[in-house]
Amino acid sequence: MKLFSTEGALYKFMMQFVDLLVLNFMWILCSIPLITIGASTAAAAAVTMKMAKDEESYIAKQFLKEFKRNWKQGTILWGMILLSAYALYLDVQILKASENPSLLVICMTMGLIFLMVICFTYSFALIARYENSIPNTIRNSMKIVMQYFGRTLVLLFSIALIIVVLNFTEVMIFFMIIIGPGCIFYTYGYFCRQLFERIEKEQSL
């Protein structure tokens, strides 16, 4: 039957599901030291951008290759995110401690959230696909967010939806653990690959 053949939809779905399981395991394993989360995330972005075009078949091997290649920049980006998150945490604590928080503090908190979004949304995908400095990578992420703000909102909403769905019940939380990050990275990689190819095409005209 065609359904169960190697060219059938069921076979392709199962192979992709297994690939996501492997990707999920590799990301969790390589993120255990915590300081390596940035490099793991860059590696996952690189692998999923290739998966989006069926260009990758050896997930674990390619993940380790990309992990090594993006180790330095991924770690730096992760450190910057942690610092930004800590600053945001302090702002939130100030808001909680204030009975009547000032408009300035509220604006600072919202501004910091927006700054984190525009600086880091595409940064890991950019270092995974292109050779560039950290400052230029962040600037390019900011440009992409502002130029394709609607697409960015769709990306962020899609990721948020996956997180909500996979945390809806105790059973779904189990799936969140074994495949959640893989699904999130595949969604991220698919969106970024489509967007980057569009930008590359526009710049070549």
Side-chain angles (χ1 to χ4, degrees), residues 82-175:
L82 288 179
L83 289 175
S84 300
Y86 182 67
L88 178 60
Y89 169 79
L90 293 179
D91 277 349
V92 172
Q93 294 306 307
I94 293 174
L95 284 175
K96 287 183 177 180
S98 304
E99 294 183 1
N100 296 304
S102 66
L103 180 61
L104 177 61
V105 175
I106 295 174
C107 289
M108 287 176 59
T109 302
M110 299 302 296
L112 184 56
I113 293 173
F114 182 71
L115 184 62
M116 289 179 66
V117 169
I118 64 174
C119 285
F120 302 118
T121 296
Y122 296 105
S123 291
F124 286 104
L126 285 169
I127 65 172
R129 188 168 175 84
Y130 307 103
E131 294 290 337
N132 213 335
S133 65
I134 292 293
N136 284 338
T137 295
I138 292 176
R139 278 195 289 267
N140 288 336
S141 178
M142 295 172 68
K143 290 178 182 178
I144 293 173
V145 171
M146 300 308 294
Q147 187 174 353
Y148 300 94
F149 193 70
R151 286 176 176 264
T152 302
L153 288 180
V154 173
L155 168 60
L156 296 177
F157 176 80
S158 300
I159 292 174
L161 184 61
I162 292 172
I163 295 173
V164 170
V165 170
L166 292 181
N167 282 279
F168 192 70
T169 65
E170 292 182 0
V171 175
M172 296 306 293
I173 291 176
F174 170 76
F175 284 102

Side-chain angles (χ1 to χ4, degrees), residues 58-72:
Y58 301 101
I59 303 301
K61 181 179 179 180
Q62 186 65 33
F63 185 95
L64 292 175
K65 178 182 177 181
E66 296 293 343
F67 180 87
K68 183 178 180 180
R69 185 175 72 86
N70 295 299
W71 161 262
K72 182 179 179 179

Side-chain angles (χ1 to χ4, degrees), residues 21-69:
L21 286 176
V22 174
L23 175 67
N24 197 77
F25 173 77
M26 293 300 298
W27 182 80
I28 292 175
L29 179 66
C30 293
S31 296
I32 288 176
L34 298 182
I35 195 175
T36 59
I37 290 178
S40 295
T41 301
V47 171
T48 51
M49 281 192 288
K50 291 183 177 180
M51 288 174 64
K53 293 291 184 177
D54 294 323
E55 296 174 354
E56 186 52 62
S57 56
Y58 301 101
I59 303 301
K61 181 179 179 180
Q62 186 65 33
F63 185 95
L64 292 175
K65 178 182 177 181
E66 296 293 343
F67 180 87
K68 183 178 180 180
R69 185 175 72 86

